[in-house]
Amino acid sequence: MIYRFATTALVACLAACPLAAAASQSLDVLRDSAVAWLKQNRTLPGARMVAEADPLDSRLRLADCAAPLDVSVPGNRPISSRVSVVVHCPAPGGWTARVPVKVRMLMDVLVTTRPLARGDGLGAGDVRAEERDVASLAYGYVASLDQVSGRALARPLNAGTVLTPGMLAGRQAVRVGDAVSMEASVDGVVIHADGVAMGAGDAGARVKVRNASSGKILDAVVSGPGSVAVLP
């Protein structure tokens, strides 16, 4: 009788009490890790990054990683308004997941205060600094009057126009084929290398450059005569 009662109780428990599930990786930790890595490694100098990871599929089940997560963005593409961040568990039998992140790179840029004509020079009263999302400015931007000193406008501009290097006539700090000094920041360490300009422009213009040693083509911003800053 006692044996029958114990057997019945065991069967009932197996039916009603689920087995302990293996520990699963928190999806919120994946999202937070992707955002934190972007802010630490891919923020432009002088800019303020605002990043938000998209919700991940709640059906995604990943084993809890026994090692620190490895986070990266493949390739050398500049950060845009949407980034796919790779989060990898390097432990044996680990997994890899992609976290979509919306990014804004906020920075003070120059905006015209009044209508300006072609050939006009630019003074302090012609522009003002406004915070804009430079990740969405495909044609570059101008951050200070020092970058446009002695320059004239190549075309007329309306008030409230974000000033870009392509709107300015005259001087070119870098020309196609010029040997340039490349500066890049990798994990907080500044690295210098020799390169060749594949585009032309003044300070603030986006150009392609070729690493003289590796031959790799990189995106960069002209920082001055013969020098460029490689985009993260």
Side-chain angles (χ1 to χ4, degrees), residues 109-116 122-130 132 153 157-163:
V109 300
L110 296 187
V111 177
T112 57
T113 58
R114 62 184 183 86
L116 297 168
L122 291 168
D126 301 319
V127 292
R128 64 174 176 268
E130 287 188 5
R132 296 294 178 92
L153 291 176
L157 300 177
N158 294 322
T161 301
V162 175
L163 200 62

Side-chain angles (χ1 to χ4, degrees), residues 41-45 75-79 141 180-186 189-196 205-212 216-223 227-232:
N41 295 280
R42 291 301 181 95
T43 300
L44 288 173
N76 292 294
R77 295 185 298 270
I79 294 299
Y141 54 90
V180 293
S181 173
M182 303 188 305
E183 180 179 293
S185 178
V186 180
V189 178
V190 177
I191 298 173
H192 293 272
D194 294 328
V196 178
R206 290 194 182 191
V207 295
K208 298 281 188 183
V209 293
R210 184 177 71 250
N211 187 305
K216 184 176 292 185
I217 306 300
L218 305 168
D219 288 279
V221 171
V222 177
S223 53
S227 63
V228 299
V230 176
L231 290 170

Side-chain angles (χ1 to χ4, degrees), residues 50-69:
V50 177
E52 180 182 4
D54 289 348
L56 298 176
D57 191 334
S58 60
R59 295 170 296 180
L60 182 63
R61 293 290 184 269
L62 301 171
D64 191 26
C65 189
L69 296 176

